[in-house]
Amino acid sequence: MKDNHNKDINHNIKAYLADSNLLLNAMGEGIYGFDIEGNAVFINPAAERMTGWKSEELLGKNIHQYHHHSHANGDHYPSEECNIYNSMRDGVERKITDEVFWRKDGTSFPVEYTSTPVYKDNVIVGAVAVFRDVSQQRLADNNLRDALKKVQELTEQLQAENTYLQSEINEAWQGSGLEGNSAKFTAMLAQIKLVAQTDSTVLILGENGTGKEVVARNLHQLSARSNKPLVKVNCAAFTANLLESELFGHEKGAFTGAIERRKGRFELADKGTLFLDEIGELSLEAQSRLLRVLQEREFERVGGSKTIAVDLRIIVATNRDLFAMVEQGQFRMDLYYRLNVFPINIPALRDRIEDIPLLCSSILKQLNAKLNKSITHINKRSLAKLTQYHWPGNIRELQNILEREVILAQSSTLNIQQKFTKSHAAIPSINKPLAEIEKAYITEVLTDCQWIIGGNRGAAKVLGLPDSTLRSRMKKLNISR
């Protein structure tokens, strides 16, 4: 009896499976059957759920005009171009992944579908379209693309910041320079402390080697932006075209050699501080772009059209007389007044000679660590020699002289061996233009270095300048061998 019952059940299952409509109605994908005229002859429940159209509303009708009438952007989709109907015309199966179906309520959803011709006795009698809603898949894909784009942007940002920070770490050593008790120096420190708490633009003025970058770093460290980057740009180290790319970045293919997108210093300094050194070397074209950024706090990369907004504090420095450059038409007046919000004048070392002992003590501590030495002090004769010198190269020159002497030192007491000839004698700055003093000093260093500019034995290293900056100064001051 039991065996007969099981045979009956198996017979019934086979009968159910033989009913194709039952199988098609159970599928999760939407299914349409069309006759050769393109009218619907079969619609399964999944299709009804996805489109909102009931089978009784569409059977015997041209479905295309109901919910395949337009492309995703709303453009008209003629029925003669419909991939489903074309399968009935040419007998070619089509797999489509980039179209939408429109629901009864007027909304649309992305679909993937396969349109397959149906043959009877080798004659096309219609077609079957099997489709599915890929909204969730597209959403997941878009979210993944957005996430990958964000990761890529963050990676680029970290790579750019790491590259910049590494270049900063590899820079030639510089002493702090912000030590002193002289009246002029303490007055400058008071100004730094006051303006550092604001976001005001600061214009640092001073001769070469006075420590303009050190002042900029202290302004940043004392500000509310101290936990964000301080990004430095030497405006004299780049040609006009390269400077724009350095400041604003560039898109891939913006110019020959731009093999990838690169963020500029303005983007790297977002939320932090941007220090523009030697601002007087900017071309008039670059001055115009800088003025716009200062006014609007936004810019475009070279070769790009996307506007990028930034929030940063601007600090600039120069050893040139910007107002005189304005009068000569070499510097924009509107930019000058935009930058000259809070000027800080750094006194030359010859104007704060009484600070030399304290400066020497600080520099020697750093040299001991750098050169693995143990110099404890400088003898009185050497200190007297240092205080009688005019110091056209300011603190940078003091650092270089002390470094050379520490390298040669054989005891814990530093004895300055260098002879300061008449060419080094003190000359009041009021009697000679700064450019003339600078030219004489650079020429002397070049002569001592046998006119070698770069490398370990070059004048650029002695002066504490990048090779490109020294060449720029030589050209400007008309220095040649």
Side-chain angles (χ1 to χ4, degrees), residues 178-209:
L178 278 189
E179 290 89 11
N181 296 315
S182 61
K184 287 184 177 181
F185 186 75
T186 52
M188 182 196 71
L189 288 181
Q191 288 184 314
I192 291 174
K193 291 177 182 177
L194 286 173
V195 75
Q197 303 303 317
T198 73
D199 269 348
S200 297
T201 300
V202 177
L203 172 61
I204 304 172
L205 303 167
E207 297 177 11
N208 279 341

Side-chain angles (χ1 to χ4, degrees), residues 407-421:
I407 291 172
L408 298 172
Q410 300 295 318
S411 69
S412 61
T413 300
L414 193 65
N415 181 27
I416 304 295
Q417 299 293 325
Q418 180 171 323
K419 293 181 179 180
F420 296 95
T421 60

Side-chain angles (χ1 to χ4, degrees), residues 430-441:
I430 195 172
N431 293 336
K432 281 197 174 225
L434 173 61
E436 187 175 334
I437 296 171
E438 183 181 4
K439 180 177 181 179
Y441 177 61

